[in-house]
Amino acid sequence: FNYVESLALVTIVFLELLFDGAWHVLSRPASKSYYYGRLHEDAFDKAESGVVVQTVSHAQLYKELMNKMGGEFMSLGFIAFMIFCSNQLGFFDFIAERLPACGKSATPDCVMLPYTGIDWLHLIELVHVQLFVGMMLYFLLMFGVVRGSVRQIQL
């Protein structure tokens, strides 16, 4: 099933990228919305001497990491929802009927496929869990990078 698992992974990642792109497009207007302190910054942007005072905003690395984690876990939730809906609508049974497995009389050019809709569901869930574990390991690594960066900046 390695070939089919790889195809499932590519399909799920593609769907996640579509969802993530749509999320960024839909959330872009929120970055231009009102934020607390905006009126204060607007009032004190210019000093009386005519010198423009620029307010400096620095990235909060832990906050940025948490925001990225939230977005990625939301994408994984979207994938879980798509898997649930696909199962409820009988999509995996449909695939199993349309793409029959090789069975015991497998020829060398036959690609091993899951036998039933339940097998397809379990394969897709396995890929989903592998993505989750990979994401957890990635964010654990990124947490170490952020922690080290913050320590270096504070020196």
Side-chain angles (χ1 to χ4, degrees):
F1 294 134
N2 289 336
Y3 176 73
V4 178
E5 188 176 326
S6 298
L7 287 176
L9 176 65
V10 168
T11 303
I12 288 174
V13 169
F14 178 73
L15 288 173
E16 190 275 329
L17 288 173
L18 287 177
F19 174 78
D20 194 46
W23 175 256
H24 285 292
V25 167
L26 294 174
S27 64
R28 190 169 298 141
S31 65
K32 297 176 185 172
S33 64
Y34 177 79
Y35 59 90
Y36 182 76
R38 183 176 183 181
L39 293 177
H40 177 75
E41 288 178 3
D42 290 345
F44 293 101
D45 258 354
K46 295 183 180 179
E48 288 185 20
S49 64
V51 177
V52 176
V53 178
Q54 295 291 329
T55 57
V56 178
S57 67
H58 297 283
Q60 297 169 303
L61 297 180
Y62 284 113
K63 182 180 175 184
E64 292 294 325
L65 179 65
M66 293 305 291
N67 286 338
K68 298 294 183 191
M69 284 176 65
E72 293 302 325
F73 289 129
M74 182 177 57
S75 296
L76 285 170
F78 168 75
I79 292 170
F81 177 71
M82 293 299 295
I83 292 170
F84 172 79
C85 289
S86 297
N87 185 41
Q88 294 299 312
L89 294 172
F91 180 69
F92 298 119
D93 291 328
F94 175 79
I95 291 176
E97 291 170 6
R98 297 293 185 268
L99 300 173
C102 294
K104 293 181 181 177
S105 62
T107 60
D109 61 338
C110 182
V111 176
M112 293 299 295
L113 297 174
Y115 292 104
T116 65
I118 298 295
D119 293 338
W120 277 98
L121 173 63
H122 287 262
L123 176 76
I124 300 300
E125 286 177 344
L126 176 68
V127 170
H128 184 241
V129 169
Q130 288 171 345
L131 282 171
F132 175 78
V133 170
M135 190 99 42
M136 291 297 295
L137 292 173
Y138 169 77
F139 281 117
L140 183 65
L141 175 69
M142 293 292 34
F143 177 77
V145 169
V146 167
R147 185 178 60 195
S149 298
V150 168
R151 285 182 182 167
Q152 286 295 317
I153 290 170
Q154 289 175 340
L155 290 179

